[in-house]
Amino acid sequence: MTSTPRRYHITTFGCQMNKADSERMAGILEDMGFKWSQDPNGADLILYNTCTIRDNAEQKVYSYLGRQAKRKHKNPDLTLVVAGCVAQQEGEKILRRVPELDLVMGPQHANRLEDLLTQVFDGNQVIATEPIHIVEDITKPRRDSTVTAWVNIIYGCNEKCSYCVVPSVRGVEQSRTPEAIYAEMELLAKQGYKEVTLLGQNIDAYGRDLPGVTASGRHKHTLTDLLYQVHDIPGIERLRFATSHPRYFTERLIKACDELPKVCEHFHIPFQSGDNDVLKAMKRGYTHQKYRKIIDKIREYMPDASISADAIVGFPEETEEQFENTLKLVDDIGFDQLNTAAYSPRPGTPAALWEQQLSEEVKSDRLQRLNHLVAQKAAQRSQRYLGRIEEVLVEDQNPKDNSQVMGRTQGNRLTFCKGNIDELKGQLIKVEITEVRAFSLTGEAIVSICNA
Ligand code: SAH
Ligand code: SF4
Ligand code: F3S
């Protein structure tokens, strides 16, 4: 007698860390014999990998959970799992809101999913949120892409930005060893992956928790050293890394990116605010002058480098004038892309307790004004691509136009061109850019060069 395989569905919220964790958890489920179900309502196991960076991210999770909890009343065999940052933040408290849950697990426990589910299938309601040393990743992730892959190099964050929940939900910094990272990347190359993005919440902190110092007294393992170490893995054509912290960003790293051809000239360095007093209240540990110097230095070495960042508007006590300093920084630097957000008070963070919280009206007005400027500047930055020939790594078909393929330039601009995905997937092709928009480009593939 053959039994039908159990089906699972994972919904992922939040950042690239969560996406990478979801891919590893999907790998574990497949190893356990589960099969993917595109339709969540057809799944026997539902996993929400959650984000709590802002209140709206958290609320979204509860509305999804509510719907599945109802389904469980009709179908008691349904297994309901909540993983990720809301799970870590709320722990047992989630059960008061959603008693139907079978498993609540923090991000540090992602690699332990099989073990935790075994306890669930034995009839237990399980909560796994205690801090642990992250088990080295021996799982085979089920990756969404066959072309680009994420590789965690450091988990957690030791910073104390006064608005941010990440350190409390992701725990202290834990770097993976260069050997483990190298081995994972070698395997990815063998599987045909062309691009790897190294991941960390504060990637510049890589290695400071690993043993060993050099003769000059610096940590033996740094992000810069790691880039040199993994650069020559045959088959991997492009390297990216995120997220950089201005406090720790070094000229040594800039030089390495300039020197190493596979490292894409794209830097994601959140500045959060363009005002020194706000930066101080945020406990970011740098001034806007220092931030500008970093960007100047990058552009000195790599004049065409793409720069992206994150910024928050409406931080407690932020005055109109201070907000205008953020606008000024954005205007002066000209980001290729900027993720913007209105400040959201988060439980357990110092800034949430400050008295002078700004009204939602002020926050959303500032957000709109900033977004308007961001789109304007991004459109200007896109202009430089017009008529140029760009190297594009083809990732997929354009879902809106099947005659087109899409991929990214080195600088991370989404680019479309006519082409057959079956032939071009995973290929680096040359594209002559004929149309530019604020955040994407269109062009024509140059076949003669691509076959050369
Ligand atoms: N480690 C990265 C990013 C962490 S979270 C860094 O240090 O920059 C991603 C982004 O979410 C942050 O860069 C910040 O812009 C935003 N963010 C974090 N906490 C927030 C909050 N309480 N309200 C609004 N935005 C927030
Ligand atoms: Fe949060 Fe700051 Fe850590 Fe980034 S560096 S994750 S903003 S605490
Ligand atoms: Fe969200 Fe957790 Fe990432 S709070 S942004 S999923 S680290």
Side-chain angles (χ1 to χ4, degrees), residues 207-417:
R208 63 184 180 191
D209 58 319
L210 293 176
V213 281
T214 62
S216 58
R218 90 180 149 68
H219 287 289
K220 196 165 151 213
H221 303 289
T222 65
L223 173 61
T224 309
D225 297 297
L226 184 71
L227 286 176
Y228 281 104
Q229 266 172 292
V230 300
H231 185 267
D232 292 332
I233 296 177
I236 302 295
E237 307 284 350
R238 281 180 171 183
L239 287 171
R240 301 183 187 276
F241 57 87
T243 299
S244 304
H245 197 306
R247 186 179 205 160
Y248 306 102
F249 203 85
T250 62
E251 187 167 350
R252 224 181 129 236
L253 177 63
I254 300 175
K255 273 191 197 149
C257 297
D258 182 32
E259 212 171 280
L260 295 169
K262 290 183 185 175
V263 178
C264 293
E265 294 187 357
H266 168 226
F267 298 85
H268 183 70
I269 320 177
F271 62 88
Q272 312 300 3
S273 165
D275 182 86
N276 286 348
D277 290 329
V278 175
L279 284 170
K280 201 164 180 187
M282 287 177 162
K283 296 221 171 339
R284 289 289 290 178
Y286 54 88
T287 58
H288 78 88
Q289 290 89 343
K290 166 151 188 212
Y291 187 82
R292 286 167 193 265
K293 271 196 196 136
I294 293 171
I295 307 302
D296 287 347
K297 202 39 107 191
I298 292 173
R299 288 181 168 161
E300 199 181 300
Y301 281 89
M302 293 160 272
D304 193 49
S306 290
I307 312 287
S308 63
D310 303 345
I312 299 175
V313 301
F315 191 68
E317 296 176 24
E318 183 189 66
T319 63
E320 172 62 25
E321 212 184 332
Q322 290 172 329
F323 166 65
E324 282 168 15
N325 285 333
T326 294
L327 289 179
K328 183 151 186 358
L329 185 78
V330 171
D331 196 31
D332 291 346
I333 293 206
F335 290 93
D336 293 271
Q337 185 130 22
L338 185 69
N339 305 322
T340 60
Y343 168 73
S344 168
R346 304 310 293 133
T349 60
L353 303 174
W354 298 346
E355 258 168 43
Q356 251 200 40
Q357 302 286 331
L358 303 189
S359 71
E360 291 306 318
E361 289 75 36
V362 171
K363 288 195 261 185
S364 77
D365 171 66
R366 288 183 189 170
L367 187 60
Q368 264 181 31
R369 283 154 68 201
L370 178 59
N371 285 343
H372 184 73
L373 180 64
V374 167
Q376 239 180 352
K377 300 303 283 189
Q380 280 172 21
R381 288 289 290 164
S382 276
Q383 282 299 327
R384 75 191 199 282
Y385 288 114
L386 198 61
R388 247 166 62 170
I389 294 174
E390 280 290 310
E391 192 183 71
V392 173
L393 176 60
V394 178
E395 291 176 36
D396 245 315
Q397 205 164 40
N398 177 358
K400 292 191 192 138
D401 178 350
N402 289 350
S403 71
Q404 288 187 338
V405 296
M406 62 182 196
R408 287 177 184 273
T409 63
Q410 257 230 78
N412 213 32
R413 270 278 186 275
L414 190 60
T415 305
F416 304 97
C417 70

Side-chain angles (χ1 to χ4, degrees), residues 137-151:
D137 179 20
I138 42 160
T139 56
K140 293 190 291 307
R142 175 191 184 270
R143 300 188 191 258
D144 283 342
S145 166
T146 52
V147 180
T148 62
W150 288 303
V151 172

Side-chain angles (χ1 to χ4, degrees), residues 27-83:
I28 295 174
L29 289 170
E30 304 229 336
D31 273 356
M32 292 173 73
F34 280 88
K35 292 271 174 278
W36 171 254
S37 164
Q38 187 60 32
D39 174 15
N41 293 322
D44 310 295
L45 183 148
I46 300 266
L47 187 153
Y48 290 110
N49 197 9
T50 61
C51 171
T52 182
I53 199 79
R54 288 179 281 277
D55 188 56
N56 54 5
E58 184 179 347
Q59 294 318 320
K60 228 190 282 173
V61 173
Y62 284 111
S63 82
Y64 277 65
L65 274 178
R67 261 174 274 155
Q68 290 302 333
K70 269 199 200 129
R71 221 182 109 213
K72 187 161 169 141
H73 288 267
K74 286 192 219 116
N75 173 8
D77 289 338
L78 178 66
T79 305
L80 267 186
V81 182
V82 55

Side-chain angles (χ1 to χ4, degrees), residues 13-18 50-53 85 165-166 169-170 201:
F13 304 87
C15 65
Q16 293 164 326
M17 303 309 139
N18 257 19
T50 61
C51 171
T52 182
I53 199 79
C85 296
V165 289
V166 171
V169 291
R170 289 265 160 184
Q201 277 296 356

Side-chain angles (χ1 to χ4, degrees), residues 111-135:
N111 294 353
R112 296 185 56 224
L113 181 61
E114 178 166 8
D115 176 25
L116 297 170
L117 279 176
T118 307
Q119 298 175 36
V120 168
F121 297 143
D122 283 346
N124 302 304
Q125 190 176 40
V126 181
I127 297 173
T129 51
E130 69 283 7
I132 56 162
H133 183 78
I134 294 172
V135 190

